[in-house]
């Protein structure tokens, strides 16, 4: 009678464990998917957000880990999006008494001597070595006598010294004030500020900007926040409604919770059946 009752209970737990396992085996795990996202993009694709044109400049997938310390390799997907600001503001400061290149020539920046300067001069820097080399009547190098530089001129074997200040032409200079316009590096440039330390120039020109996009991370474009997701190694999905992703992750979490529970039922059922079976066939002492 004892063994008959045990057999009934064993059969019950076996059926219960098998039923739980069959549910696990036949159930399909939910996955992340976006049927109609705001943007589904590949590398080099262009898209528009609030009138601004964007380009997917890169999509990459890198495998890391798996170095033999118990951790398996992990796949990291990411991308980069770029756009061009056609009217970006650039600035550059010409420091007082520094040398700058302007329209192909070298100039020294000289800010006016004042407590509150409002202008500066570009003073031409003469290439004295080149001027000497171009004049066959003089030597290529200056000589200094009693602290004064001279140009050495030879004529019929006679050497004469001409003060350098008399030989070289006076350098040209141009004055600019705050608000003046000049052409610099192909751009219409304004003198936006002059201080005792230098002059600040400003202009507008195109500038390319980039933003890195991580998998399952937020990215803001033109003030619009998107959730970024890479379903494979060559596709970027941008979704403005984060709840779409949240609902799917909740479903995945619920699936795993249920699966873990069913595994627990199966394991406990089979273990219980084995214990009952073993106890039923233990030899009696009486």
């Amino acid at each position: 009678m004892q063994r008959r009752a045990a057999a009934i209970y064993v059969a019950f737990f076996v059926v219960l464990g098998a039923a739980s396992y069959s549910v696990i085996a036949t159930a399909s795990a939910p996955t992340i998917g976006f049927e109609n996202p705001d943007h589904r993009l590949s590398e080099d694709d262009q898209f528009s957000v609030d009138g601004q044109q964007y380009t997917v400049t890169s999509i990459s997938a890198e495998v890391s880990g798996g170095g033999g310390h118990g951790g398996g390799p992990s796949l990291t997907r990411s991308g980069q999006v770029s756009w061009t600001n056609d009217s970006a503001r650039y600035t550059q400061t010409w420091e007082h008494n520094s040398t700058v290149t302007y329209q192909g020539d070298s100039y020294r920046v000289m800010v006016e001597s004042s407590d509150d300067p409002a202008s500066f001069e570009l003073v031409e820097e003469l290439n004295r070595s080149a001027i000497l080399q171009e004049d066959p009547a003089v030597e290529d190098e200056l000589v200094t006598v009693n602290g004064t530089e001279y140009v050495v001129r030879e004529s019929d074997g006679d050497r004469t010294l001409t003060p350098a200040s008399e030989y070289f032409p006076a350098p040209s200079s141009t004055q600019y004030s705050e608000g003046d316009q000049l052409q610099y590096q192909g751009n219409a440039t304004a003198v936006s500020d002059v201080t005792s330390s230098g002059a600040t120039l400003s202009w507008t020109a195109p500038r390319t900007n980039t933003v890195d996009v991580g998998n399952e991370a937020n990215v803001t474009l033109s003030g619009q926040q998107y959730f970024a997701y890479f379903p494979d190694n060559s596709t970027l999905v941008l979704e403005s409604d984060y709840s779409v992703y949240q609902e799917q992750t909740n479903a995945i979490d619920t699936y795993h919770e249920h699966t873990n529970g069913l595994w627990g039922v199966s394991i406990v059922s089979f273990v219980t059946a084995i214990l009952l079976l073993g106890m039923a066939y233990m030899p009696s002492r009486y």
Side-chain angles (χ1 to χ4, degrees):
M1 185 66 184
Q2 178 183 358
R3 293 180 179 179
R4 185 179 303 174
I8 295 174
Y9 283 114
V10 167
F12 170 76
F13 283 111
V14 169
V15 171
L16 180 61
S20 298
Y21 179 77
S22 66
V23 173
I24 297 172
T26 57
S28 298
T31 58
I32 301 296
F34 295 88
E35 295 183 1
N36 189 27
D38 291 80
H39 303 283
R40 187 181 299 274
L41 307 159
S42 300
E43 195 168 287
D44 296 327
D45 281 354
Q46 294 185 338
F47 62 103
S48 180
V49 178
D50 196 22
Q52 176 66 57
Q53 194 79 1
Y54 292 88
T55 302
V56 180
T57 52
S58 68
I59 294 177
S60 62
E62 297 182 359
V63 178
S64 60
H69 298 286
S74 62
L75 176 65
T76 302
R77 292 167 175 158
S78 61
Q80 189 178 76
V81 173
S82 68
W83 71 97
T84 300
N85 183 354
D86 293 325
S87 57
R89 188 174 187 267
Y90 292 81
T91 62
Q92 186 175 52
T93 299
W94 287 348
E95 296 182 358
H96 171 65
N97 205 30
S98 65
T99 300
V100 299
T101 300
Y102 176 60
Q103 295 184 347
D105 295 318
S106 294
Y107 293 87
R108 185 164 294 276
V109 180
M110 304 300 296
V111 177
E112 68 172 340
S113 179
S114 170
D115 293 336
D116 186 19
S119 65
F120 69 96
E121 278 188 313
L122 289 182
V123 182
E124 179 186 17
E125 291 217 313
L126 298 175
N127 189 340
R128 301 201 297 182
S129 296
I131 294 175
L132 293 174
Q133 292 173 2
E134 291 175 358
D135 188 349
V138 301
E139 293 187 357
D140 292 345
E141 296 183 358
L142 299 172
V143 297
T144 302
V145 179
N146 295 329
T148 302
E149 290 184 320
Y150 292 90
V151 176
V152 180
R153 185 184 298 274
E154 290 194 12
S155 177
D156 298 329
D158 296 329
R159 300 174 77 244
T160 58
L161 300 180
T162 302
S165 59
E166 297 179 7
Y167 175 81
F168 293 106
S172 62
S173 64
T174 306
Q175 180 172 303
Y176 296 95
S177 300
E178 289 182 357
D180 285 351
Q181 299 283 329
L182 62 152
Q183 284 293 319
Y184 180 60
Q185 295 183 349
N187 299 293
T189 304
V191 180
S192 57
D193 188 31
V194 178
T195 65
S196 58
S197 61
T200 300
L201 310 179
S202 62
W203 66 95
T204 58
R207 174 187 287 147
T208 299
N209 303 282
T210 60
V211 60
D212 293 327
V213 182
N215 189 36
E216 299 185 39
N218 292 325
V219 60
T220 301
L221 304 173
S222 296
Q224 173 66 55
Q225 181 171 282
Y226 290 96
F227 178 78
Y229 181 70
F230 294 85
D232 52 50
N233 295 343
S234 60
T235 305
L236 166 62
V237 169
L238 296 178
E239 175 59 64
S240 59
D241 187 1
Y242 179 75
S243 64
V244 175
Y245 171 78
Q246 189 63 55
E247 290 173 359
Q248 296 181 74
T249 56
N250 290 340
I252 293 174
D253 292 341
T254 301
Y255 168 82
H256 288 303
E257 290 176 2
H258 291 170
T259 300
N260 292 336
L262 290 171
W263 270 116
V265 171
S266 295
I267 293 172
V268 170
S269 297
F270 288 128
V271 170
T272 302
I274 293 172
L275 288 175
L276 288 173
L277 190 62
M279 292 173 65
Y281 285 90
M282 288 180 63
S284 175
R285 297 179 59 185
Y286 303 99

